[in-house]
Amino acid sequence: MADKYAVITLAKMAASSRSDVMSKLPDLADISRAAGSTRVLFGTVMTGLNTGSAIMIQFFEEFNKLESVYSAFSESASYQDLMSGSLSISRRNITTLNLSYSFDDAPNLKYTVLSRAAGCGSHKDIIASMEKAVHLFKDNGAKTFRFGRLMTGENTGDYLLGVSYNSMVDIEQTYDAIAESEDAKEVYNLLGVNQRGIIQVGGVR
């Protein structure tokens, strides 16, 4: 069964706490996996509005597993420790996933580019157009590709694209290809990008 949902949590942290937070997030990710998420990515936001924040992205096949995971968090000493001082959650949103691809069986993910966009076409046309553009990412070094729509939060209804890479060189190469692509132009006619940031991946479980 393919992942159908992603939960994205942003939390403010002091620069002096980064090493401590990153050392504790693997344990939290393991708790999430044991309670029902299929995969967890965590790291630090490098660019954009939330620069310096910690981020965790949890993937789910079934919506009811969210409750199990957050019940497990509430009973976790690791979670309580992080929430008591090192972290302050600033945003948590749920995204439905419409497109989900992995291009490498064992990717060594180092960066994720997360882009948010407002739709200006039908949902059906947006999904079809984005699916036509997947090759631009795959052919230029992307390792994973996830695209969906925010179903909670202040930007509900906007679309979210998350693409992970092994290097900054691959990111640059991808966006050079996008700049010359007719498929990308079609996407931009249907989606207006309003935010983009790069995440430095701390780990994947």
Side-chain angles (χ1 to χ4, degrees):
M1 187 183 297
D3 293 332
K4 294 183 178 180
Y5 306 96
V7 177
I8 303 168
T9 304
L10 283 164
K12 295 178 182 178
M13 64 178 174
S16 58
S17 300
R18 179 181 173 184
S19 294
D20 181 56
V21 169
M22 289 300 133
S23 71
K24 292 174 179 175
L25 284 181
D27 183 49
L28 208 60
D30 288 341
I31 292 169
S32 178
R33 286 296 308 276
S37 63
T38 58
R39 190 166 71 99
V40 181
L41 179 149
F42 57 88
T44 306
V45 180
M46 296 174 59
T47 66
L49 294 177
N50 300 291
T51 298
S53 292
I55 186 168
M56 176 176 278
I57 306 175
Q58 301 157 279
F59 296 89
F60 296 86
E61 293 176 348
E62 301 173 49
F63 196 75
N64 60 3
K65 296 296 185 183
L66 276 72
E67 182 178 6
S68 300
V69 167
Y70 286 96
S71 292
F73 277 1
S74 68
E75 299 171 1
S76 161
S78 298
Y79 185 80
Q80 297 302 326
D81 182 39
L82 284 168
M83 292 300 108
S84 65
S86 299
L87 290 178
S88 174
I89 293 176
S90 55
R91 183 173 299 180
R92 176 175 286 142
N93 286 334
I94 301 173
T95 302
T96 56
L97 297 177
N98 300 108
L99 300 174
S100 182
Y101 297 100
S102 294
F103 309 124
D104 191 322
D105 291 336
N108 178 27
L109 305 184
K110 293 184 178 179
Y111 304 100
T112 296
V113 180
L114 203 60
S115 305
R116 192 183 73 210
C120 46
S122 73
H123 179 69
K124 181 179 178 180
D125 287 347
I126 288 169
I127 298 303
S129 179
M130 184 59 76
E131 193 155 27
K132 280 176 59 181
V134 169
H135 70 93
L136 294 169
F137 300 89
K138 179 182 179 181
D139 295 346
N140 289 286
K143 300 303 178 184
T144 66
F145 176 105
R146 305 287 187 269
F147 180 73
R149 199 171 194 181
L150 288 164
M151 58 183 291
T152 65
E154 61 187 30
N155 300 108
T156 296
D158 277 8
Y159 290 84
L160 205 61
L161 171 66
V163 184
S164 294
Y165 300 84
N166 286 357
S167 73
M168 286 285 193
V169 172
D170 291 335
I171 296 174
E172 181 180 19
Q173 184 171 288
T174 297
Y175 282 91
D176 284 346
I178 286 172
E180 303 295 326
S181 168
E182 291 299 318
D183 287 338
K185 288 179 183 177
E186 181 179 322
V187 170
Y188 282 127
N189 284 335
L190 296 170
L191 289 171
V193 176
N194 50 41
Q195 187 173 333
R196 177 173 289 135
I198 298 176
I199 299 163
Q200 183 175 30
V201 177
V204 180
R205 291 289 193 270

